[in-house]
């Protein structure tokens, strides 16, 4: 049995309903809005919340907070979200300088020293903010930075969804192995939400593509496998009525969870306990791979 935990950044409970039926695959056996929190900013902040999901701890305890590294405080995200779709030349120039400055001084993203739910036997995790090295997340952020300069929409969508496809493909492959728990974070809806908060059709298209990826993953689940999908926050848009008085392209409080099981975590703090309840030990063997080292040496692959 494999339990898959899919972290769909910025998957918004309200927009899942708004974009139906294109989002029907995002409504599994149980689904609900879940409680999230803000700590270092006024709204839920991605790395802090995902580190909480993985550890069950508050930011001062897991140690991944806004002040962790300069990269977490990516100024592009904040500036970019305020000027989405309305970039004049001056702003583009400023963003360009910021891109060069941040990419020129790339640091490792902060990760927690605390025990995480992925430390258990047979668990694997890819691209989880605050847990893994975050290279995939950096790719998504770089893409957003490029979009605020001069990237076309078609290239933005192609690269963003190409990255998401890699992450969903990885999750599907884990189902073929003796993996007890597989966790993966996908940033597509957050990047698309910041870029397309004022464009219902464009954001709806990305929701539809993500819905398709989820349907493929659900189809690949074995009889005993389970899937939990959750988000850290949602995204405010110009076209979703309850966001009328809010600033578009900022994080909403509509975090969401849906699962193939009949219970759900009720908040981002509860996910560790929920995984404890639903996880089962894998029964793989630990036979080692028998590599012909001499052949590899002849080929120059090893010293
Ligand atoms: Zn986020």
């Amino acid at each position: 049995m494999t339990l898959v935990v899919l972290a769909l950044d910025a998957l918004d409970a309200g927009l899942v309903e708004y974009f139906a039926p294109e989002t029907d695959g995002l409504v599994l056996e149980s689904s609900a809005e879940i409680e999230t929190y803000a700590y270092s900013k006024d709204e839920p902040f991605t790395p802090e919340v995902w580190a909480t999901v993985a550890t069950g701890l508050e930011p001062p305890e897991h140690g991944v907070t806004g002040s962790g590294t300069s990269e977490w405080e990516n100024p592009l995200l904040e500036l970019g979200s305020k000027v989405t779709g309305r970039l004049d030349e001056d702003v583009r120039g400023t963003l360009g300088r910021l891109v060069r400055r941040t990419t020129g001084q790339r640091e490792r993203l902060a990760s927690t020293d605390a025990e995480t739910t992925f430390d258990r036997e047979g668990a694997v995790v890819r691209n989880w903010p605050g847990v893994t090295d975050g290279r995939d997340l950096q790719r998504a952020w770089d893409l957003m930075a490029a979009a605020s300069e001069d990237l076309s929409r078609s290239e933005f969508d192609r690269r963003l969804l190409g990255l998401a496809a890699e992450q969903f493909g990885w999750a599907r492959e884990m189902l073929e192995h003796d993996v007890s728990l597989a966790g993966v974070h996908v940033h597509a809806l957050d990047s698309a939400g910041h870029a397309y908060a004022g464009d219902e059709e464009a954001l709806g298209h990305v929701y539809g593509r993500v819905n398709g990826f989820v349907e493929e993953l659900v189809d690949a689940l074995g009889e005993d496998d389970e899937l939990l999908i959750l988000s850290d926050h949602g995204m405010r848009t110009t076209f979703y009525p309850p966001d009328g008085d809010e600033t578009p392209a900022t994080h909403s409080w509509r975090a969401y969870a849906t699962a193939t099981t009949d219970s759900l975590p009720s908040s981002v703090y509860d996910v560790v306990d929920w995984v404890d309840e639903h996880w089962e030990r894998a029964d793989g063997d630990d036979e080692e791979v028998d590599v012909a080292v001499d052949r590899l040496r002849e080929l120059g692959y090893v010293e």
Side-chain angles (χ1 to χ4, degrees), residues 4 11 21 25 34-35 44 72-73 100-102 110 118 133 157 168 193 197 205 222 233 236 240 270 276 283 288:
V4 179
L11 175 65
I34 62 166
E35 198 185 316
W72 283 135
E73 291 182 324
R100 283 188 286 280
R101 206 173 68 211
T102 55
F118 303 110
D133 69 10
D157 285 4
F168 275 94
H205 174 72
H233 53 78
R236 295 177 181 133
Y240 181 65
D270 292 343
D276 283 343
D283 48 20
E288 288 183 14

Side-chain angles (χ1 to χ4, degrees), residues 84 192-200 203 235-239 248-250:
T84 302
H194 283 292
Y196 297 142
D199 187 331
E200 177 174 351
L203 187 57
M235 186 68 67
R236 295 177 181 133
T237 70
T238 57
F239 50 83
T250 56

Side-chain angles (χ1 to χ4, degrees), residues 131-148:
V131 175
T132 66
D133 69 10
R135 252 170 286 179
D136 283 10
L137 185 60
Q138 283 176 334
R139 285 168 69 190
W141 279 358
D142 287 348
L143 190 52
M144 207 152 32
S148 41

Side-chain angles (χ1 to χ4, degrees), residues 31 33 41 45 47 69 77 83 86 98 125 145 153 170 187 203 206 238 240 245 255 291:
S31 59
E33 196 169 323
K41 296 184 183 295
F45 186 45
T69 71
L77 283 179
V83 296
R86 296 182 292 276
L98 287 168
V125 60
R153 283 174 169 235
W170 177 88
H187 201 253
L203 187 57
V206 177
T238 57
Y240 181 65
D245 298 332
V291 178

Side-chain angles (χ1 to χ4, degrees), residues 13-40:
L15 293 179
V16 167
E17 220 170 288
Y18 185 77
F19 286 129
E22 273 71 39
T23 46
D24 284 357
L26 294 166
V27 183
L28 304 172
E29 183 170 330
S30 315
S31 59
E33 196 169 323
I34 62 166
E35 198 185 316
T36 185
Y37 72 84
Y39 176 74
S40 69

